[in-house]
Amino acid sequence: MNAPAEAPPSRPLDPIFNPRAVAVVGASRSRDTIGWSIVHNLVAGEFAGAVFPVNPSASSVHSLKCYPTLSAIPDPVDLAIVVVPRGHVEAVVDEGLAAGVRGFVIITAGFGETGLDGKAVERRLRDRVRAAGARLIGPNCMGVINADPAVRLNATFSPTPALSGSLGFVSQSGALGVAILNVAETLGVGISEFASMGNKADVSGNDLLVRWEDDPATRVIAMYLESFGNPRRFAELAKRITRKKPILVVKSGRTAEGARAASSHTGALAGTDLTISSILEHCGVLRADTIEDLFDTARALDRQPLPAGRRVGIVTNAGGPGIMATDACVHYGLRIAAFAPETVARLREYLPAAAAFDNPVDMIASAGVEEYGRTVAAVLSDPGVDAVLVVNVTPLRQNTRQIFDEIARVARGAPKPVLAVMMATEDFYEGLKEERDAPPVYRFPEQAARALAQVARYGEWRRRGADEAPPRFDFDEARLTRLLARPGPDGYLEPDDALGLLEAIGVPVVAYRRAADAAGALAAARELGFPVVVKAIAGGLVHKSELGAVALDLRDEAEAQRALAGMTARLARAALAPSGFLVQRMARGGHEVIFGLSSDERFGPVLMFGLGGKYVEVLHDVRFGVPPLTRTEALELVRGIRGIRLLEGVRGDAPSDLGLLADVLGRLAALAERFPAIVEIDVNPFLAADAAGSLAVDARVRVAP
Ligand code: ADP
Ligand code: MG
């Protein structure tokens, strides 16, 4: 017996994406207005439900009976597309809520983007809609699409129809939304659902991530973002969702987005584009530079299996494109596979003597359908190959279409991805309807290599260990609470308290003492044992060494005394009077690294790790992450810096204990979560050495007033 048909469970945004009936409030009879285009797209797209135009001064729009108001519509309406002038929007929403409408897409602009009044209207709309259990997209957006063949909802004013497919796309920009649909159509990329977010008065990109997380129709999620509304929530969702399906992001504003003037290195670097890239990577999100780049990657992710590694086999029919493909692969971090002898032997059986049998395989210009099929099959079955890039140029009169079909036939069902570069004439592309189980086609090796590198990175992300809980740390809570309760007037902890805070969370710190004056400093130095380091403490003294307020490697009392006197005199010239001295044991060896924490209202807490000391200012070789951090994530951040080989030990240097560095990062992440009042920490430098020799020598901690 068949199980009774069950209605699919309804999901929070279903009134918007899966409505039974749609009203277009502000429908227009004049062609090429937005109020006309939306009705036209709904009808031309063959929406499965009913469409009700609403306009008090028209009796019909687009051959549909027109209603004067929302409440005059006799049938239940789930979704209202609102295109009325700004001043009428609130009244329309109220009327809709009273009539039982549970989804609104407000196209009308002129709200939050114009100023504070508009923001207030948006808040009122959101509150009213939410109180009624309804949801709202926009205002100032271009609409939504559900391309599911059973729904066929195109509630946008885009001139390009959407193909049905598996890409969930959310765009923050309406204008770009039109361009996105256009590029998608040109490339033959199908959409599952699309939303242009506008001002995000209610529904945000994060809500769509949640909607698509378990949506079987959406296999790849793509986002065009201009800003992160709630980055913390985004990071939390992205970390989870990318374990199931890929998320691709084009984030505009790559240039100096927010290099804020900040006194800490972490603060200055956090909020810049570097942070955003690093955080996206940390969450398993793939960042694309352009919309085309995004689609190039999306096509490969959607149509091909994930590669098990980065080793690429290249098959071409000409030398030049083979070299281009090789260079591009290496440039994007892929590796050129070394073939097994059997593979080379197989190729020698049928390829002409002038061919190149090793990777990249150059079958030369005589290669036809059969050579392509056999060679792609041979390279695919080589155990040292994770992915195949096939490049075809059209030197003679050659049936490019047949060659591609043969490549597709061989690639079908293979457990490894195949990407095709067809450097062919326009008629090939015109006749090409990209198919789900055929390799994605690119015009140039560069594009294919870039897409493949992204796919390989995502494959690595998916192979990471199973979900793992962030480690738990035992902190000296009593000491932490005491230290955090006594910042100076500028919010900074005293330098010795900052080091004390590190001790309280279990981070190794160099032996230190605080002294009130020069005599006390000498006594502290004797206690600690020479050689020592002396640092002056003064309010407003931030970068101590720049003002000569750090004296290193003082071997005896005489040297210490001279250093203390010199330092006091230098500070006096800068109109600073030391309120005391910090005396530390002189630490030796290790690489200077930096740990940072920066928390701003917009972004929430962000952790940083990188090369420290002077390097941080010059090289900006740092990685960022968002707490909570698992052990794996912390290690990834540590290993993710460009200069990691320095820490691993080059030219006989002793390697640093990377596990210990990950542990410190994990502790700082846990601290940030436990005490949100901490807005800034710079541990710079931390000397990274072996387990016994690694320690912090300088720290700055600022708490919110
Ligand atoms: P600031 O960052 O305010 O200029 P630091 O305390 O970081 O001052 O000291 C400056 C540099 O001196 C450090 O980057 C490090 O190279 C060195 N240094 C500081 N303290 C010690 C120490 N206890 N042992 C060895 N080197 C030290
Ligand atoms: Mg320092």
Side-chain angles (χ1 to χ4, degrees), residues 533 535 542 544-545 552 584-587 592 684-685 697-698:
V533 172
K535 306 176 185 183
V542 178
K544 297 178 289 293
S545 36
L552 299 175
Q584 300 179 332
R585 194 169 289 151
M586 176 69 195
E592 299 202 341
N684 186 31
V697 302
D698 183 31

Side-chain angles (χ1 to χ4, degrees), residues 476-486 674-675:
D476 183 344
E477 295 272 339
R479 187 174 178 198
L480 272 180
T481 314
R482 189 158 30 88
L483 292 173
L484 288 170
R486 55 184 202 215
R674 172 79 185 74
F675 293 98

Side-chain angles (χ1 to χ4, degrees), residues 169-200:
F169 206 123
V170 46
S171 171
Q172 217 172 77
S173 152
L176 218 87
V178 174
I180 287 165
L181 292 175
N182 193 21
V183 178
E185 213 254 347
T186 314
L187 288 171
V189 177
I191 300 265
S192 58
E193 292 180 347
F194 168 90
S196 133
M197 303 310 300
N199 296 357
K200 302 189 282 190

Side-chain angles (χ1 to χ4, degrees), residues 86-159:
R86 193 184 49 202
H88 298 280
V89 167
E90 280 187 274
V92 165
V93 168
D94 285 339
E95 191 195 346
L97 289 173
V101 174
R102 287 298 169 263
F104 294 88
V105 173
I106 302 181
I107 309 284
T108 311
F111 293 89
E113 77 275 20
T114 62
L116 288 178
D117 288 354
K119 284 212 167 62
V121 180
E122 282 179 12
R123 272 195 300 276
R124 284 204 297 277
L125 285 169
R126 180 199 58 203
D127 292 347
R128 266 183 263 171
V129 161
R130 285 196 183 166
R135 298 304 300 265
L136 176 165
I137 288 185
N140 187 24
C141 74
M142 65 158 292
V144 298
I145 291 174
N146 181 352
D148 178 347
V151 180
R152 299 189 305 273
L153 173 82
N154 181 352
T156 70
F157 53 87
S158 159

